[in-house]
Amino acid sequence: MMRTRPLKVALLGCGVVGSEVARIMTTHADDLTARIGAPVELAGIAVRRPDRVREGVPAELVTTDATALVKRGDIDIVVEVIGGIEPARTLITTAFEHGASVVSANKALLAEDGAALHAVAQRHGADLYYEAAVAGAIPLVRPLRESLVGDKVNRVLGIVNGTTNFILDRMETGGTGYSEALDEATALGYAEADPTADVEGFDAAAKAAILAGIAFHTRVRLDDVHREGITEVTAADIASARRMGRTVKLLAICERAEDGRSVTARVHPAMIPLSHPLASVREAYNAVFVEAEAAGQLMFYGPGAGGAPTASAVLGDLVAVCRNKLNGATGPGESAYSRLSVSPMGEVVTRYHISLDVADKPGVLAQVAAEFNEHGVSIETVHQQVKDGEASLVVVTHRASDAALSATVGALRALDTVRGVAGIMRVEGE
Amino acid sequence: MMRTRPLKVALLGCGVVGSEVARIMTTHADDLTARIGAPVELAGIAVRRPDRVREGVPAELVTTDATALVKRGDIDIVVEVIGGIEPARTLITTAFEHGASVVSANKALLAEDGAALHAVAQRHGADLYYEAAVAGAIPLVRPLRESLVGDKVNRVLGIVNGTTNFILDRMETGGTGYSEALDEATALGYAEADPTADVEGFDAAAKAAILAGIAFHTRVRLDDVHREGITEVTAADIASARRMGRTVKLLAICERAEDGRSVTARVHPAMIPLSHPLASVREAYNAVFVEAEAAGQLMFYGPGAGGAPTASAVLGDLVAVCRNKLNGATGPGESAYSRLSVSPMGEVVTRYHISLDVADKPGVLAQVAAEFNEHGVSIETVHQQVKDGEASLVVVTHRASDAALSATVGALRALDTVRGVAGIMRVEGE
């Protein structure tokens, strides 16, 4: 039984993603109709610069008045692909108030204000879907919200930012420094003119907050996520990792504490073994491991950004929301009943790779080892090297808390025989 | 707002998977209640042998009368983890007729009779979910039915049977023959006493039929799937693959033809490059690539079988179906509107690796090459080897139809100078 009144969609934003959404809705209209059970129609497209509207986008639908579009009252679903906090937040809220459901690709907004938006959606009996906000085309939000909803997720660990993975991959394969690799990423369109959101880890941190919230059924705010970017990663770090059979990746890691009562979420560069599946994730690809009590270890891999992949995720959500509308139902809302606390970085327990420049004289290693021992940080391996009269130590620790490690490093810096701490990086995935 | 009348679940089967489902429903009852929005209660467990019921399974719920259980009338959801065609089919149909929705892990039944079961479900306004039927805990059915529903899937290619992957992995890493590796798999519990369903590819073919149907929105019957198992794979095949930088995997491959009007589905051993992500899928793990027009190439990886992983998938579906019940709605049903034809194996186009034992005399290569040319099969590489007076040729072809390749092999067998065709295997993933 096919309904004939079409579901009406308002598209907010018509850049790289929005124009792909419009293109697919037009070219694949028959398939979408069959899959939804009713026709779906693009009823309006709000843009900032109508002169920049791309080829293939129906010009008669374009408006610069996004507010009027979401207030029209006949819009069933608003697709928000503007990004950023405002005006996206106000437009989405207005859309809910006028009876629409919302599909969004906006990780920054969801991370900052997801709970409030979910509350408004629920109040109005509307859906808020956002698969495209995390890891582009890779199904991750739906598997966590639905497929693994009967399981207990203990860990989410992955590469969720394509730009930084591209840069680190180039540093690894080309042996180049950070700036050179960033320039290459910019020239090839993988990095934006202002790369801050990517290289400083803000984008990955927003995704980590969203993933941790869904995975652990709790609220994790953006401020709860410990964040370090890749701007301090050097060619020497990568070479040092390589000598130990490891590579460097920017990871987002969300973990449930062993006692089950708190969680942690963090984004930072880390060394992982070359044999780890994430080590072979090249260029701008994303990949995420999910560890759950019953399911075991799952991995999801694919293109983490780009117009078409992101549009694929948006359209999957659009079909789901349309089906819900036809059913007079809504899909899963926010699930934050666990109310777990988020522990600070100092309580995170992991392993560390520390490079020290030291005096080339007897007793230095003993002195250094004593400081680790003093702070309860157990050493797994030490590599000592003397080159051109300069001595260096590379220490890899067993698992220790971030606080204990920081205290150790502070004490090492105070030693006369330690000339400098050349690098500290966490070791994951072993 | 929490509903207090519990949703009642009948569990059919309490073996490796069923007992895990019962255990998780009991130990994680509070989480399930919070996630569903209503309590969910195990109302009965049908088993064949009540004396074999496992520890931790509530004995008072156990019955041997599965038919009476599904006919009770107060059951909201039936979880079927018996497997096989009958009595599962009749029990599921009876469950629908008595107002229940169904979660099933039964790949054989879904592949053989999925369309009819979906029709009964739809007639009764019930859900039929079956994430656990394909690739255990790996979310694959839901991503295809929901996440990628706005995209156009062109190809699904993967390792969907853990037993055969374990055997091939052992042959690869241990250099052992097929029988020895099968014995090891049996001893470790990876293969059943009668391994036919796995090693002859029946299990993988059922999954291929299900995946192809969902991916292409069409009907693919089990009989439509070309099926070859791994019983003919030899240590020599694997050594030959290794010399060319490849390994052997049992693959399920579902493809849309380039003209878009037909599809193919097949299960057979194939050589893939060692650099391909599927080459590093070890032991009993599963991994599936999905290629879609907008999303690009996605990969899903995880444990493909086992009690707990399969139970995780069952419980995800159980929560989804419970939510649908509370919403008074149903999830996606069968989507087969495309009505694409399924082409026979002869029309599949791929590459081939052919080992020939030939006479050690001049002109043989020219003769062999002429036969390939005659049948329109283009040669990519030839390796010629003479050892102990025996000459062999290993030919790898460019893309050709299976029909053209078969005709070529027939002609080669008829040549006086060809003593035998030692091995033919398809080459994929390049």
Side-chain angles (χ1 to χ4, degrees):
Chain A
M1 221 167 38
M2 186 70 71
R3 186 177 109 139
T4 48
R5 186 180 84 72
L7 288 149
K8 292 195 178 176
V9 175
L11 179 61
L12 309 183
C14 200
V16 179
V17 177
S19 58
E20 269 299 310
V21 171
R23 188 190 66 74
I24 296 171
M25 284 187 67
T26 310
T27 55
H28 290 33
D30 291 347
D31 282 316
L32 292 172
T33 301
R35 296 176 192 184
I36 290 165
V40 58
E41 175 188 293
L42 203 47
I45 305 173
V47 300
R48 258 192 316 180
R49 298 166 176 258
D51 51 309
R52 286 217 196 146
V53 167
R54 284 151 201 258
E55 224 179 310
V57 173
E60 67 279 12
L61 299 179
V62 172
T63 171
T64 54
D65 193 345
T67 307
L69 180 58
V70 299
K71 280 185 173 172
R72 260 173 53 171
D74 66 335
I75 301 296
D76 296 291
I77 295 121
V78 169
V79 173
E80 184 270 307
V81 288
I82 305 174
I85 305 302
E86 286 294 353
R89 173 163 50 196
T90 304
L91 290 169
I92 289 175
T93 307
T94 309
F96 288 138
E97 288 163 357
H98 287 77
S101 282
V102 172
V103 174
S104 171
N106 194 330
K107 64 214 116 196
L109 179 57
L110 263 301
E112 176 153 320
D113 225 11
L117 292 175
H118 273 295
V120 181
Q122 202 192 349
R123 203 155 56 236
H124 293 280
D127 269 330
L128 172 59
Y129 274 56
Y130 48 93
E131 180 66 76
V134 184
I138 310 173
L140 205 55
V141 171
R142 181 172 282 102
L144 283 171
R145 290 221 287 187
E146 304 185 40
S147 306
L148 289 161
V149 70
D151 205 333
K152 184 179 180 186
V153 176
N154 288 319
R155 197 155 188 249
V156 178
L157 178 151
I159 296 166
V160 296
N161 179 274
T163 305
T164 49
N165 199 60
F166 183 90
I167 293 170
L168 292 171
D169 187 28
R170 278 295 177 274
M171 289 175 73
E172 165 84 38
T173 54
T176 61
Y178 168 74
S179 309
E180 205 176 328
L182 172 60
D183 288 347
E184 200 184 338
T186 312
L188 291 168
Y190 287 110
E192 292 180 42
D194 176 0
T196 312
D198 292 317
V199 299
E200 296 289 1
F202 290 100
D203 174 87
K207 291 164 178 170
I210 295 170
L211 289 175
I214 305 172
F216 305 132
H217 297 267
T218 194
R219 279 194 192 144
V220 177
R221 292 171 310 122
L222 190 49
D223 290 350
D224 293 330
V225 182
H226 174 84
R227 177 189 53 75
E228 297 170 36
I230 63 161
T231 56
E232 311 285 310
V233 176
T234 63
D237 289 331
I238 290 178
S240 186
R242 169 65 62 165
R243 276 193 297 276
M244 319 281 279
R246 300 191 179 99
T247 187
V248 176
K249 294 289 186 188
L250 183 72
L251 298 184
I253 305 175
C254 313
E255 288 175 311
R256 191 190 289 276
E258 275 172 34
D259 67 6
R261 268 173 294 181
S262 65
V263 297
T264 54
R266 52 193 164 114
V267 167
H268 56 69
M271 293 185 187
I272 57 169
L274 289 169
S275 60
H276 193 283
L278 290 181
S280 55
V281 175
R282 298 266 163 252
E283 305 199 323
Y285 277 84
N286 284 192
V288 177
F289 269 84
V290 177
E291 286 175 30
E293 193 179 84
Q297 201 171 60
L298 305 170
M299 186 175 81
F300 303 80
Y301 167 94
T310 308
S312 171
V314 166
L315 281 155
D317 280 353
L318 180 64
V319 171
V321 171
C322 287
R323 286 172 171 174
N324 289 344
K325 281 255 171 194
L326 294 179
N327 268 327
T330 51
E334 191 195 22
S335 177
Y337 70 92
S338 292
R339 298 174 198 280
L340 302 169
S341 64
V342 185
S343 301
M345 190 62 194
E347 290 180 25
V348 166
V349 173
T350 185
R351 297 167 62 226
Y352 302 85
H353 176 284
I354 302 139
S355 304
L356 302 170
D357 296 325
V358 297
D360 180 19
K361 51 185 183 183
V364 173
L365 176 54
Q367 240 186 336
V368 165
E371 288 298 345
F372 276 91
N373 186 50
E374 180 87 2
H375 293 86
V377 179
S378 166
I379 292 176
E380 186 190 270
T381 60
V382 181
H383 287 255
Q384 195 161 10
Q385 202 177 7
V386 180
K387 212 172 90 181
D388 308 330
E390 303 278 313
S392 67
L393 286 180
V394 174
V395 178
V396 177
T397 74
H398 284 295
R399 282 164 59 80
S401 75
D402 221 69
L405 197 278
S406 295
T408 309
V409 170
L412 291 172
R413 282 190 210 276
L415 290 179
D416 285 349
T417 47
V418 172
R419 299 209 172 116
V421 178
I424 309 170
M425 202 177 287
R426 296 177 189 91
V427 177
E428 304 285 344
E430 284 176 43
Chain B
M1 221 165 38
M2 187 71 72
R3 187 178 109 139
T4 49
R5 186 180 83 73
L7 289 149
K8 293 195 177 174
V9 175
L11 180 60
L12 308 184
C14 200
V16 180
V17 176
S19 57
E20 270 298 309
V21 171
R23 190 191 64 75
I24 296 172
M25 284 187 68
T26 309
T27 55
H28 291 35
D30 291 348
D31 280 315
L32 292 172
T33 301
R35 296 176 191 182
I36 290 165
V40 58
E41 178 187 292
L42 203 48
I45 305 173
V47 300
R48 258 191 315 178
R49 298 168 175 257
D51 50 308
R52 285 218 197 148
V53 167
R54 284 151 202 259
E55 223 181 310
V57 172
E60 68 278 14
L61 299 180
V62 172
T63 171
T64 53
D65 192 346
T67 305
L69 180 58
V70 299
K71 280 185 172 174
R72 260 171 55 171
D74 66 336
I75 301 297
D76 296 290
I77 295 120
V78 169
V79 172
E80 183 270 307
V81 288
I82 304 174
I85 305 302
E86 285 296 351
R89 174 164 48 196
T90 303
L91 290 169
I92 289 175
T93 305
T94 309
F96 288 138
E97 289 163 357
H98 288 77
S101 282
V102 172
V103 174
S104 171
N106 193 329
K107 65 215 116 199
L109 179 57
L110 263 302
E112 175 151 321
D113 225 13
L117 291 174
H118 273 294
V120 181
Q122 202 192 349
R123 203 154 58 237
H124 293 279
D127 270 328
L128 172 59
Y129 275 55
Y130 47 94
E131 181 65 77
V134 184
I138 310 173
L140 206 54
V141 172
R142 181 172 282 101
L144 284 171
R145 289 221 290 187
E146 304 185 40
S147 305
L148 289 162
V149 71
D151 205 335
K152 184 179 179 186
V153 176
N154 289 319
R155 198 156 189 249
V156 178
L157 178 152
I159 296 166
V160 296
N161 179 274
T163 305
T164 48
N165 199 61
F166 183 90
I167 293 170
L168 291 172
D169 187 29
R170 278 294 176 274
M171 288 174 73
E172 164 84 38
T173 54
T176 61
Y178 168 75
S179 309
E180 205 177 327
L182 172 60
D183 288 346
E184 200 184 338
T186 311
L188 291 167
Y190 287 110
E192 293 179 43
D194 176 0
T196 311
D198 292 316
V199 300
E200 296 290 0
F202 290 101
D203 174 88
K207 291 164 179 172
I210 295 171
L211 289 174
I214 305 172
F216 306 132
H217 296 268
T218 194
R219 276 192 196 147
V220 177
R221 292 170 309 121
L222 190 49
D223 290 349
D224 294 329
V225 182
H226 174 84
R227 178 189 52 77
E228 296 170 36
I230 64 161
T231 55
E232 309 286 311
V233 177
T234 63
D237 289 331
I238 290 179
S240 185
R242 169 65 64 165
R243 277 193 296 276
M244 318 281 279
R246 301 193 179 98
T247 187
V248 175
K249 295 288 186 188
L250 183 71
L251 298 183
I253 305 175
C254 313
E255 288 176 312
R256 190 190 289 277
E258 274 172 34
D259 68 5
R261 268 173 294 181
S262 66
V263 298
T264 54
R266 52 192 165 115
V267 166
H268 56 70
M271 294 186 186
I272 58 170
L274 289 168
S275 60
H276 194 282
L278 290 181
S280 54
V281 175
R282 297 265 164 255
E283 305 198 324
Y285 277 84
N286 283 191
V288 177
F289 269 85
V290 177
E291 285 174 30
E293 192 180 83
Q297 201 171 61
L298 305 170
M299 186 176 80
F300 302 81
Y301 167 93
T310 308
S312 171
V314 166
L315 281 155
D317 279 353
L318 179 64
V319 171
V321 172
C322 285
R323 286 171 170 175
N324 289 344
K325 281 257 172 194
L326 294 179
N327 269 326
T330 51
E334 190 195 21
S335 176
Y337 70 92
S338 292
R339 298 173 197 282
L340 301 169
S341 64
V342 185
S343 301
M345 190 62 195
E347 291 180 25
V348 165
V349 173
T350 186
R351 296 168 61 228
Y352 301 84
H353 175 285
I354 302 138
S355 304
L356 302 171
D357 296 325
V358 296
D360 180 19
K361 51 183 185 185
V364 174
L365 176 55
Q367 238 186 336
V368 166
E371 288 299 343
F372 277 90
N373 186 51
E374 181 87 2
H375 293 87
V377 178
S378 165
I379 293 176
E380 187 190 89
T381 60
V382 181
H383 288 255
Q384 195 161 9
Q385 203 178 7
V386 180
K387 213 171 90 180
D388 308 330
E390 302 279 311
S392 66
L393 287 179
V394 174
V395 178
V396 178
T397 74
H398 284 295
R399 281 164 60 81
S401 75
D402 221 70
L405 197 279
S406 295
T408 309
V409 170
L412 290 172
R413 284 191 211 275
L415 290 179
D416 285 347
T417 48
V418 172
R419 299 208 173 116
V421 179
I424 307 171
M425 203 176 288
R426 296 178 189 89
V427 177
E428 304 285 343
E430 285 176 42

